[in-house]
Amino acid sequence: MNESRNSTVLRTADVARRAGYSVQQIRNLERDGVLPPAARTPAGYRAYDAVHVVSARAYRALAAGTGPVVAKEIVRAAHDDSPARMLALLDAAHAGLDTERRDLEATRAAVRHISEEPLTEVRGSDSMSVSELADALGIRPSTLRHWDATGLVTPGRAVHRDARVYAPADVRDARIVHQLRRAGYGIPALGILMAEFRGARRWNEVLERLAVRDASIESRSLSLLDGAAELRELRSRI
């Protein structure tokens, strides 16, 4: 173990202040194994050091990037003799953000592809059954059921019977999904699009919502970068 670890004895409050946490949060992180067990003074008080501070900082950054559950796994893995699991978890977190970013870009492209489709206007005044809509679009009923199961187009149910009925707005949604599926857009991108699409009055509003998602991905990516720097510092002190 690097002897610098024992160069300074810190109290719980010291670690909390340096890591940006409360005293109770530091105790919780120690309990959860994110911080290694503290030593004890002859009087029985916890005695921390620089490793605990860096561990807490690493967790704070990683939690902002990938969520608390995975962040705890990564920091706990950083304390192991081999960094292999830590690196694998970090790679997976970056890969997840890369997938989100790719899906988001595909979603933007889908908006550009379909932007001439009106959001507020609905063609037709009658509701349609699964089979009727499938015939109108030239697809199988099972395709509509798949879109329903994945949340792309979720119709209501008819009164007094357990049958799916597509209201005019649902028919519009199904047309949009069908057109974009034919253009090669995947389910993940369309899932994002349709989630943002509902409640929007203009396509520009959809793009604005996607921009918020984009900012979130960028923020989480930067947090992972900060967390990786803290992990490297942590590994140098173990």
Side-chain angles (χ1 to χ4, degrees):
M1 180 181 297
N2 192 315
E3 295 199 3
S4 64
R5 169 167 181 168
N6 299 315
S7 60
T8 304
V9 175
L10 302 172
R11 301 169 302 165
T12 309
D14 297 326
V15 178
R17 184 179 63 257
R18 296 184 185 191
Y21 281 121
S22 69
V23 167
Q24 186 57 54
Q25 285 173 317
I26 292 300
R27 290 172 179 161
N28 292 344
L29 291 176
E30 182 184 352
R31 178 202 63 199
D32 294 342
V34 176
L35 308 186
R40 293 283 178 169
T41 67
Y45 294 106
R46 287 180 171 87
Y48 295 99
D49 54 44
V51 166
H52 297 92
V53 175
V54 178
S55 296
R57 286 177 177 171
Y59 170 74
R60 186 182 184 87
L62 293 169
T66 192
V69 174
V70 176
K72 287 178 182 179
E73 289 187 59
I74 293 173
V75 180
R76 284 194 291 255
H79 291 287
D80 294 341
D81 291 337
S82 170
R85 176 164 169 74
M86 176 195 77
L87 295 173
L89 289 167
L90 270 177
D91 288 346
H94 282 292
L97 286 172
D98 180 61
T99 297
E100 285 189 49
R101 189 173 284 106
R102 289 172 183 270
D103 288 342
L104 188 61
E105 185 51 42
T107 305
R108 280 203 189 91
V111 171
R112 292 191 289 268
H113 186 92
I114 199 72
S115 58
E116 296 302 316
E117 185 77 19
L119 291 186
T120 55
E121 297 178 16
V122 177
R123 301 173 188 171
S125 57
D126 297 331
S127 298
M128 302 179 75
S129 67
V130 173
S131 59
E132 289 170 339
L133 182 55
D135 286 343
L137 295 177
I139 60 177
R140 297 179 180 179
S142 60
T143 299
L144 287 173
R145 295 189 181 96
H146 178 62
W147 294 351
D148 183 1
T150 55
L152 291 180
V153 184
T154 305
R157 292 186 183 275
V159 180
H160 304 310
R161 57 193 176 97
D162 190 32
R164 290 297 195 188
V165 173
Y166 289 81
D170 300 325
V171 173
R172 176 202 58 198
D173 290 357
R175 284 202 325 270
I176 291 173
V177 170
H178 178 50
Q179 183 171 338
L180 292 174
R181 287 293 286 155
R182 290 182 64 187
Y185 292 96
I187 295 295
L190 293 185
I192 297 172
L193 172 60
M194 299 310 290
E196 301 298 347
F197 167 82
R198 297 182 180 93
R201 295 175 179 272
R202 298 174 292 108
W203 283 110
N204 281 345
E205 289 182 23
V206 178
L207 289 172
E208 289 166 5
R209 295 181 185 188
L210 295 180
V212 172
R213 281 179 175 262
D214 196 13
S216 172
I217 293 171
E218 180 176 327
S219 176
R220 284 180 285 149
S221 294
L222 290 172
S223 293
L224 280 182
L225 190 64
D226 292 339
E230 297 287 359
L231 289 173
R232 189 172 184 88
E233 172 68 12
L234 175 59
R235 291 294 305 174
S236 73
R237 291 179 176 272
I238 295 177

